[in-house]
Amino acid sequence: IGIYTSGKGSSAAGLTASVVGSGGGDFWLEAGSMVLADGGVVCIDEFDKMREQDQVAIHEAMEQQTISIAKANLTTMLNSRTSVLAAANPTMGSYDPLRSNDEQMDFAGSILSRFDLIFKVLDPKDPTIDMRLARHVVQLHKTGGTAAHGSKFASTTKSANQKDGQ
């Protein structure tokens, strides 16, 4: 099971669970991403754009692998035995090799400590490679996903497909 969500558009309830009412006195639970991904992985893009109170809402889910609900006479504990894969951008928009990692991540220690692994993915500035990749992506869109012959990216894709017997 894999669930994708964007940190920018996610709320605490959308990540964990919420209590919804019909207006007539009936209430029920709606599972959020962390509950829906139980036994799988939840991928949170733009984690750096998530509000701090929404990050705090997933503390219990990441540490205890449960989500506690106590609202509208509903008291329960939901499983959220999920791995969290989160992607975030540096605070200044691009990585600065002259600044420390701590200066480039604007996260509370309480949320960072819940991640087992933290990787830094760098995109070295190389206009030649960037232009070649951009042309390849545009060509893929023009041809409906078929790589153009003769490009370095196309030959890599073609040889990988040939190995699979395609």
Side-chain angles (χ1 to χ4, degrees):
I1 297 171
I3 302 289
Y4 168 85
T5 187
S6 170
K8 189 173 185 177
S10 295
S11 65
L15 288 166
T16 57
S18 62
V19 176
V20 180
S22 65
D26 294 328
F27 295 95
W28 63 90
L29 289 173
E30 282 192 1
S33 300
M34 301 286 289
V35 175
L36 293 172
D38 184 41
V41 62
V42 62
C43 302
I44 306 173
D45 194 9
E46 297 184 331
F47 196 72
D48 54 306
K49 313 270 185 320
M50 187 183 296
R51 296 178 308 179
E52 189 172 345
Q53 63 262 32
D54 297 329
Q55 289 178 10
V56 169
I58 64 174
H59 282 188
E60 178 190 359
M62 291 181 73
E63 188 171 307
Q64 305 299 324
Q65 304 222 310
T66 59
I67 294 170
S68 301
I69 300 288
K71 291 183 180 176
N73 287 333
L74 292 174
T75 305
T76 190
M77 191 174 292
L78 304 170
N79 287 329
S80 62
R81 300 162 298 191
T82 181
S83 297
V84 177
L85 176 65
N89 294 309
T91 54
M92 300 305 283
S94 63
Y95 182 75
D96 182 352
L98 301 176
R99 296 175 64 205
S100 73
N101 288 333
D102 287 343
E103 291 176 295
Q104 299 191 66
M105 293 190 304
D106 189 23
F107 298 109
S110 59
I111 193 72
L112 283 178
S113 69
R114 285 168 169 78
F115 287 96
D116 294 322
L117 302 170
I118 298 174
F119 292 98
K120 190 171 38 175
V121 179
L122 301 178
D123 179 18
K125 294 177 182 179
D126 186 333
T128 305
I129 291 174
D130 292 347
M131 183 57 73
R132 210 169 54 198
L133 180 59
R135 285 186 180 133
H136 175 70
V137 170
V138 168
Q139 188 63 34
L140 285 175
H141 284 280
K142 284 181 178 177
T143 61
T146 307
H149 295 289
S151 89
K152 182 177 180 182
F153 295 106
S155 62
T156 303
T157 304
K158 185 176 178 185
S159 63
N161 288 339
Q162 287 173 342
K163 290 177 187 173
D164 292 337
Q166 296 178 343

